[in-house]
Amino acid sequence: SMNYIIKSPETESEWERYFNFRWEKLRKPLGMPKDTLKDDKEQDSCHLIAVNNKEEVIGTGRLHFNNEEEGQIRYMAVSESIQRKGLGSAIVSELEMIAKKKGAGEMVLNARENAINFYLSLGYKEIEPYESDTGIPHTTMRKELI
């Protein structure tokens, strides 16, 4: 079993590793510069990191709100070495729980093609294609939070 904890970044070092992990996993492979790392919602978002027993960040996810009713997940990433072991699902369900606590009734996200089946397995439904600033195809997906 994986030894990790899921929590919000607290120390300066954790914030740095969180943002760096997001960039390394999601942007750098596409040749995108580090200044594309953050968006204008960072201040108003809930940020999660998964940290292993060596204090390494091995997963990330972020939640912001488009309105009172709708949460949105962004920057989901899990280390390649531990994909398909339940960590991504654990991060998503934690973000869903936070959204529900804050009163949201649904969650939306824009999934890369290779992540669509993962989100389908968690109860998300495909809505429509989405044009991402990454230039690679995404699909908008949505789930009712019950």
Side-chain angles (χ1 to χ4, degrees), residues 6-20:
I6 296 174
K7 59 177 214 157
S8 290
E10 287 154 46
T11 64
E12 203 173 317
S13 161
E14 282 175 347
W15 279 106
E16 201 174 307
R17 281 177 286 151
Y18 161 68
F19 283 118
N20 198 52

Side-chain angles (χ1 to χ4, degrees), residues 7 19 21 23-24 38 45-48 57 64 69 83-84 86-87 89 110 113 122:
K7 59 177 214 157
F19 283 118
F21 186 88
W23 181 68
E24 289 272 342
K38 302 179 185 183
S45 296
C46 307
H47 307 263
L48 291 183
V57 172
H64 69 259
E69 185 54 25
Q83 280 173 3
R84 311 195 75 81
L87 176 54
S89 308
N110 298 306
E113 285 180 340
L122 299 179

Side-chain angles (χ1 to χ4, degrees), residues 28-46:
K28 188 183 178 185
L30 304 174
M32 297 179 74
K34 234 176 177 165
D35 62 15
T36 64
L37 183 61
K38 302 179 185 183
D39 63 30
D40 57 1
K41 301 237 177 19
E42 307 295 351
Q43 295 298 324
D44 308 314
S45 296
C46 307

Side-chain angles (χ1 to χ4, degrees), residues 2 12 27 45 66 69 104 134:
M2 288 295 311
E12 203 173 317
R27 304 261 153 165
S45 296
N66 295 323
E69 185 54 25
T134 56

Side-chain angles (χ1 to χ4, degrees), residues 63 65 93 95-105 145-146:
L63 164 70
F65 294 89
S93 58
L95 293 172
E96 289 175 351
M97 230 168 53
I98 297 168
K100 277 196 282 202
K101 270 193 196 135
K102 292 182 182 260
L145 300 176
I146 304 147

